Amino acid sequence: MTDFDKEYYWVVLCKNRLFHFRQNYRHKILLGVTDSFSPLPRLKVPFKVQCDVCGKEYTYHSDELLRFETESPPFFVAHSLFSD
Ligand SMILES: [Zn+2]
């Protein structure tokens, strides 16, 4: 049985805590589609991610990547690192 409404994404947490503090959660920025079992991609170099909500850009390392299960967003553009 597969729940087609759920998908897995690689995400990072936006570091602009002040902005997202009002909403009382750590905003997850979706980077790329994955699945429930793929190993974390090994990215040797830091990469920059711009938040889709607050617009701030921060540098992230591969150990900050998280797997996140969520409903498919209505609009999603993969980060250039994950768009192949
Ligand atoms: Zn943000």
Side-chain angles (χ1 to χ4, degrees):
M1 287 257 292
T2 305
D3 184 353
F4 288 104
D5 292 332
K6 295 282 187 183
E7 288 189 349
Y8 290 90
Y9 291 87
W10 297 120
V11 304
V12 290
L13 300 176
C14 182
K15 295 180 178 179
N16 190 0
R17 294 192 191 207
L18 272 178
F19 180 90
H20 296 289
F21 180 73
R22 286 183 283 136
Q23 297 151 317
N24 203 23
Y25 76 111
R26 298 294 308 276
H27 177 62
K28 298 174 186 69
I29 308 167
L30 274 55
L31 300 180
V33 179
T34 184
D35 48 46
S36 61
F37 53 85
S38 288
L40 271 166
R42 290 200 161 273
L43 306 170
K44 294 190 177 74
V45 293
F47 53 97
K48 289 185 174 180
V49 177
Q50 184 177 21
C51 180
D52 55 326
V53 173
C54 70
K56 287 274 190 177
E57 188 179 72
Y58 296 93
T59 300
Y60 294 87
H61 297 82
S62 61
D63 61 1
E64 294 175 284
L65 272 177
L66 303 167
R67 192 194 322 265
F68 179 59
E69 184 186 5
T70 185
E71 292 177 18
S72 308
F75 180 76
F76 172 66
V77 178
H79 189 279
S80 57
L81 281 170
F82 297 90
S83 61
D84 56 344

